[in-house]
Every structure is written in C-alpha cells, then in structure tokens.
Amino acid sequence: MNTNELTNLLHQGGEAAAKELIGEYGWLFAGAFVALMAKDLLMNMVQGMIVFIGNEWKNDEILYLSGRKARVIRKGLLITTFQMEDRQSSMSIPNSQLKTLTVERKLPNGHADIYLPTGGEMQGPMEVKILQNEKPKPAVKKKAATRRKR
C-alpha cells in the first residue's frame, strides 16, 4: 500500500465515523439548542406580558431612564420602545432588561420637599454642628434608714 491509498482510507474512515456520530448524537445537540432557545423566548415573553398587561408602564408616559428623559412609545411582548428627548432618537429595550434600568418618575404634584441637597446644590462648605450630650450625674443612693429593734 502506498501513502496515497493509506491517506484516502484514513480520510474515508474518519468521514464515515464523523457521519455516524453526527447521525447518532446530532439530534441530541439540536434538541438541546432548541430547548435553550425556547426557554429564553418563553422567559422574554412572560416578562413582556407582565409589562404589556401591567399598569406600571403606560404609553406616552414621561420617564427618566438612568437620568435621561424618555417617553414610552410602544409596549410589546418582547420589546419596549422609548423616545429619548435629548437626542430625538428611539431606543428599544428587551423587556427582560427593564428590571436593570434605573427608572425615575416626576411626582404628580410637580414638586417635593427637599430631603437632602445633592453635591451640585451645595454652596460652600456645609455647616456642621457638634452636639455634646452632657453625661447625667450619677444618682446618689440614699442609705436606707435602719431601725434597731429594742
């Protein structure tokens, strides 16, 4: 046998073995792939149904997404679309990722009492008051009067 015949024989044997393995185990790989894709699609659809049916997000509602002003344009089963005010563009976010966003809403009355000033609102150094708690004087125990029995 020369080297060309040996190479052809090994090539044909390897190809036959590969075809046999793919035929025998290929359906397992394909089934696992389809199952993973179906699981991901099902999870996105369930989270989309929660957003689509729920009242948390309403069409034409003004929100702040991570500090950027946005308006809800469309709620879908898989994707929610926002119009971003600062760039006049639209942004589509998968419903499964909405829970990772920082979402703010303006209060209905339009204002709120100032809770704490932010760093940009501070003008000059902040006044610090040191409060000293006076230690209470220890109570003097009165000796109980003892009566002598006579």
Side-chain angles (χ1 to χ4, degrees), residues 50-114:
I50 291 170
V51 171
F52 190 73
I53 293 173
N55 291 331
E56 186 176 353
W57 304 82
K58 296 177 183 156
N59 283 338
D60 294 329
E61 182 179 12
I62 303 294
L63 303 170
Y64 291 88
L65 300 176
S66 301
R68 294 177 61 192
K69 188 175 182 180
R71 182 173 65 91
V72 179
I73 297 175
R74 184 179 313 118
K75 295 188 315 182
L77 290 178
L78 298 176
I79 294 175
T80 300
T81 305
F82 299 93
Q83 177 185 1
M84 307 307 289
E85 294 287 326
D86 57 351
R87 296 184 188 154
Q88 294 300 317
S89 62
S90 66
M91 180 169 59
S92 298
I93 300 174
N95 291 336
S96 61
Q97 294 180 358
L98 287 176
K99 61 185 172 192
T100 63
L101 292 176
T102 302
V103 180
E104 299 176 47
R105 291 183 174 94
K106 284 209 171 192
L107 295 174
N109 60 4
H111 68 281
D113 295 332
I114 295 176

